Amino acid sequence: MFNLFGKNHNSLKEIPQEEKKVIFASILIECAKEDGKISDIEKEKIKDILNKKFKLQYEEIIKLMEYGIELSETRVELFSLIRDIKNNFSPEEISNLFVSMWEIVLIDGVIDDFEAALMRKSVGLFNLTDFDSAEAKKLHKIILKRQNSFFVFR
């Protein structure tokens, strides 16, 4: 989807799917709490994304969210989480994750300065371009528009 410069696809580590789920949930939780709080709408969107991505049962999603929040409360920096993503996710997985990150940032209709800074910082750390970020944001808006249209005409 996006051009991830300098990414050696053969250097990816094989980690258990459970660990990938935790990493994926953790970065979404970091996006949600970047503006100082995790709103109910952000929690619901994270649950929705985890359900679609990993096809989890509700109880599994709740446990994953709780564990991700617990990890988030003890984390003092994001670099190690970003490094885990870069080392263990394929470029396509990173692209999809980045779109999901935008979904969380945009779900409440407001891009807080801290959220904007996180997304700008993530672009560089994931070796994306500003164009990649704009495309991910645009893709999310298209998805959101389709979902809203679906609910309106239902």
Side-chain angles (χ1 to χ4, degrees):
M1 181 184 275
F2 303 123
N3 182 16
L4 299 172
F5 298 111
K7 186 69 172 164
N8 181 354
H9 308 291
N10 298 328
S11 69
L12 293 177
K13 298 176 191 171
E14 286 297 319
I15 62 169
Q17 187 67 10
E18 292 304 311
E19 201 171 322
K20 275 193 170 183
K21 291 175 189 176
V22 170
I23 293 170
F24 197 97
S26 293
I27 194 69
L28 296 183
I29 290 165
E30 291 297 335
C31 288
K33 75 172 211 169
E34 194 64 23
D35 61 0
K37 62 191 176 319
I38 302 176
S39 69
D40 289 340
I41 193 168
E42 289 169 327
K43 286 180 187 175
E44 291 306 312
K45 188 61 181 175
I46 292 171
K47 290 175 191 173
D48 181 55
I49 291 168
L50 294 174
N51 181 42
K52 287 178 183 171
K53 170 79 175 152
F54 299 110
K55 310 290 188 245
L56 301 173
Q57 298 295 318
Y58 183 77
E59 295 79 25
E60 294 174 292
I61 293 170
I62 296 303
K63 286 180 185 175
L64 187 56
M65 289 273 302
E66 288 172 352
Y67 186 57
I69 290 170
E70 182 182 316
L71 289 174
S72 175
E73 290 171 353
T74 61
R75 187 177 295 114
V76 293
E77 47 79 31
L78 278 178
F79 183 74
S80 59
L81 182 58
I82 300 288
R83 185 186 62 235
D84 286 343
I85 292 167
K86 285 177 62 173
N87 290 340
N88 298 295
F89 285 55
S90 71
E92 183 179 339
E93 289 172 318
I94 291 173
S95 297
N96 291 332
L97 174 62
F98 201 72
V99 172
S100 297
M101 290 170 67
W102 270 118
E103 287 185 67
I104 300 306
V105 167
L106 294 170
I107 193 67
D108 60 5
V110 178
I111 301 176
D112 176 273
D113 289 341
F114 294 110
E115 292 170 328
L118 172 67
M119 295 308 288
R120 275 194 309 276
K121 190 180 346 176
S122 297
V123 166
L125 293 173
F126 286 139
N127 298 323
L128 299 170
T129 65
D130 289 333
F131 178 78
D132 294 334
S133 179
E135 287 297 303
K137 187 176 176 182
K138 187 166 72 174
L139 178 60
H140 163 67
K141 287 181 178 182
I142 291 169
I143 292 167
L144 185 62
K145 198 177 278 189
R146 285 183 185 158
Q147 288 173 346
N148 287 341
S149 295
F150 175 74
F151 290 119
V152 169
F153 295 113
R154 206 163 178 215

